[in-house]
């Protein structure tokens, strides 16, 4: 019942039902906690987790800890919460399983604390490809693509076989730094040496790699030879590069494909991009047509916004183990 209410996104009813459960076990707490995080209620979820640790004798299990760490990582939360949960794991003598170790590494890495992430990584007893992939992602984001490539090559040298997620991470790292030759090498390695069939994510990374480097013909060739239909993200990457490098010839071939697809109302920026490309090519009638299409589909360009977190709780702690 609790899981059903949580899946219906009715948080108020789920919490009311949870409070009515006479003997709550770890599964009940974990289900309710996951409900908070799935709806982006991070602060309430963390407070709920602390309530369990302070008011009950229950100990968090691996599922609950991974849920909390994943929520912290997705929000880019400052490392104070990661450290508090890490301390809870150490004090309880909980073993770093594959999922728990990966979640903690990922949480620290996304918070920008590669020093802490590296410490956890080094202390994991049996490091596997998931731990390496989390470190590669964090290293690419905060220490640069060259460092991430070094880590990838070190992983391969010691005999840990990369998986599809690892190649997505390393191809994305190459795209961030414009390392076209390296990206080609890793894509070929993935297909020819490890025998992976490229997914939409791998193709997206390659298109983005070429597009950002100004190799628009190569990017468009990848799109035409893909084994699946390219998605909106891939087309947007190509069209944005066409605008940046002022290549209307390739852009106009992609615009027709995009306009034939179902574009969500929230993706008004894509219509604006297409309108700008038509204007760049001097096709003013098409500019008006796109603007009219936006009105017909009730699409509005969402204004840019940013957010900051105020008052990170410095006393985010858990009770000591007696």
């Amino acid at each position: 019942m609790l899981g059903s209410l949580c899946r219906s996104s009715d948080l108020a009813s789920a919490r009311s039902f949870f409070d009515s459960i006479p003997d709550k076990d770890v599964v009940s707490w974990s289900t309710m906690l996951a409900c908070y995080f799935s709806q982006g209620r991070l602060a309430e979820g963390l407070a709920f987790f602390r309530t369990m640790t302070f008011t009950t004798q229950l100990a968090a299990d691996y599922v609950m800890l991974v849920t909390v760490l994943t929520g912290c990582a997705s929000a880019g939360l400052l490392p104070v919460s990661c450290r508090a949960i890490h301390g809870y794991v150490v004090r309880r003598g909980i073993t770093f399983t594959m999922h728990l170790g990966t979640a903690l590494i990922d949480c620290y890495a996304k918070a920008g604390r590669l020093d802490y992430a590296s410490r956890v990584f080094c202390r994991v007893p049996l490091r596997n490809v998931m731990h390496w992939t989390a470190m590669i992602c964090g290293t690419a984001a905060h220490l640069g693509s060259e460092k991430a490539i070094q880590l990838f090559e070190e992983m391969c040298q010691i005999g840990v076989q990369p998986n599809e997620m690892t190649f997505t991470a390393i191809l994305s790292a190459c795209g961030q730094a414009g390392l076209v030759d390296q990206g080609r090498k890793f894509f070929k390695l993935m297909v020819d040496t490890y025998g992976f069939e490229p997914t939409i994510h791998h193709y997206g990374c390659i298109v983005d790699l070429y597009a950002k480097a100004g190799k628009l013909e190569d990017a468009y060739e990848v799109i035409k030879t893909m084994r699946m239909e390219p998605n909106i993200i891939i087309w947007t990457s190509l069209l944005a590069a066409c605008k940046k490098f002022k290549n209307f010839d390739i852009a106009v071939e992609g615009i027709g494909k995009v306009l034939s697809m179902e574009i969500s109302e929230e993706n008004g920026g894509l219509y604006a991009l297409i309108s700008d490309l038509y204007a760049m090519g001097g096709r003013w009638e098409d500019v008006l047509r796109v603007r009219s299409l936006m009105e017909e589909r009730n699409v509005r360009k969402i204004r840019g916004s940013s957010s900051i977190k105020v008052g990170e709780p410095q006393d985010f702690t858990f009770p000591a183990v007696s």
Side-chain angles (χ1 to χ4, degrees):
M1 281 294 297
L2 182 60
S4 178
L5 288 169
C6 289
R7 285 188 293 273
S8 68
S9 300
D10 188 351
L11 182 60
S13 297
R15 182 57 193 264
S16 177
F17 183 81
F18 171 83
D19 291 337
S20 70
I21 298 175
D23 297 313
K24 304 176 185 66
D25 59 7
V26 173
V27 176
S28 303
W29 285 88
S30 293
T31 303
M32 191 66 226
L33 181 67
C35 187
Y36 278 113
F37 281 104
S38 66
Q39 296 190 33
R41 309 284 281 270
L42 179 63
E44 293 174 70
L46 290 174
F48 182 79
F49 181 50
R50 292 187 70 216
T51 298
M52 188 199 79
T53 61
F54 275 103
T55 62
T56 74
Q57 297 298 316
L58 297 173
D61 61 5
Y62 295 107
V63 174
M64 181 178 288
L65 292 170
V66 170
T67 298
V68 175
L69 288 168
T70 303
C72 292
S74 64
L77 197 65
L78 293 176
V80 59
S81 299
C82 301
R83 290 201 306 270
I85 298 165
H86 188 183
Y88 179 90
V89 171
V90 173
R91 290 194 302 274
R92 291 276 179 176
I94 299 173
T95 304
F96 284 113
T97 62
M98 179 188 73
H99 295 295
L100 181 56
T102 302
L104 189 54
I105 292 169
D106 188 53
C107 186
Y108 275 136
K110 288 182 177 176
R113 294 308 304 261
L114 266 295
D115 50 347
Y116 290 135
S118 182
R119 291 178 193 173
V120 176
F121 178 75
C122 292
R123 292 176 182 175
V124 172
L126 296 173
R127 291 190 290 273
N128 63 20
V129 64
M130 297 303 296
H131 302 115
W132 283 93
T133 300
M135 280 300 300
I136 289 170
C137 289
T139 301
H142 299 285
L143 297 182
S145 299
E146 295 287 355
K147 293 285 187 183
I149 290 172
Q150 291 177 13
L151 201 59
F152 177 85
E153 291 175 343
E154 180 185 344
M155 180 192 73
C156 294
Q157 286 172 2
I158 65 172
V160 177
Q161 181 170 320
N163 61 16
E164 293 179 347
M165 292 177 60
T166 316
F167 278 108
T168 299
I170 201 64
L171 289 172
S172 178
C174 292
Q176 293 171 20
L179 302 175
V180 175
D181 291 338
Q182 290 279 46
R184 283 174 175 158
K185 183 188 78 172
F186 289 128
F187 191 82
K188 183 176 176 60
L189 181 72
M190 179 185 71
V191 175
D192 295 343
T193 303
Y194 290 98
F196 289 122
E197 183 76 19
T199 67
I200 192 74
H201 302 293
H202 300 130
Y203 282 121
C205 289
I206 286 294
V207 170
D208 189 58
L209 171 68
Y210 284 137
K212 287 181 177 177
K215 297 182 178 295
L216 303 182
E217 292 81 5
D218 292 332
Y220 190 49
E221 186 63 29
V222 171
I223 290 177
K224 290 190 294 184
T225 57
M226 286 172 56
R227 292 183 173 90
M228 68 282 292
E229 194 69 24
N231 58 21
I232 288 289
I233 297 173
I234 290 177
W235 283 115
T236 302
S237 179
L238 177 66
L239 294 180
C242 288
K243 179 183 176 182
K244 177 181 178 181
F245 295 102
K246 303 186 184 306
N247 190 323
F248 183 69
D249 292 336
I250 290 180
V252 75
E253 294 184 41
I255 288 172
K257 294 282 189 181
V258 173
L259 291 179
S260 67
M261 302 172 70
E262 184 176 344
I263 306 175
S264 66
E265 295 180 1
E266 293 78 16
N267 209 347
L270 181 54
Y271 286 98
L273 173 60
I274 293 172
S275 176
D276 291 343
L277 285 167
Y278 275 137
M280 185 179 72
R283 294 173 53 167
W284 301 108
E285 291 183 0
D286 287 317
V287 171
L288 295 175
R289 181 170 62 87
V290 172
R291 296 295 180 179
S292 298
L293 192 61
M294 291 178 68
E295 292 182 3
E296 291 175 13
R297 298 181 179 180
N298 196 29
V299 174
R300 295 289 183 271
K301 183 178 179 181
I302 300 175
R303 295 181 180 276
S305 62
S306 61
S307 62
I308 60 172
K309 182 169 179 61
V310 179
E312 174 70 22
Q314 298 301 314
D315 60 341
F316 190 83
T317 58
F318 299 105
V321 178
S322 57

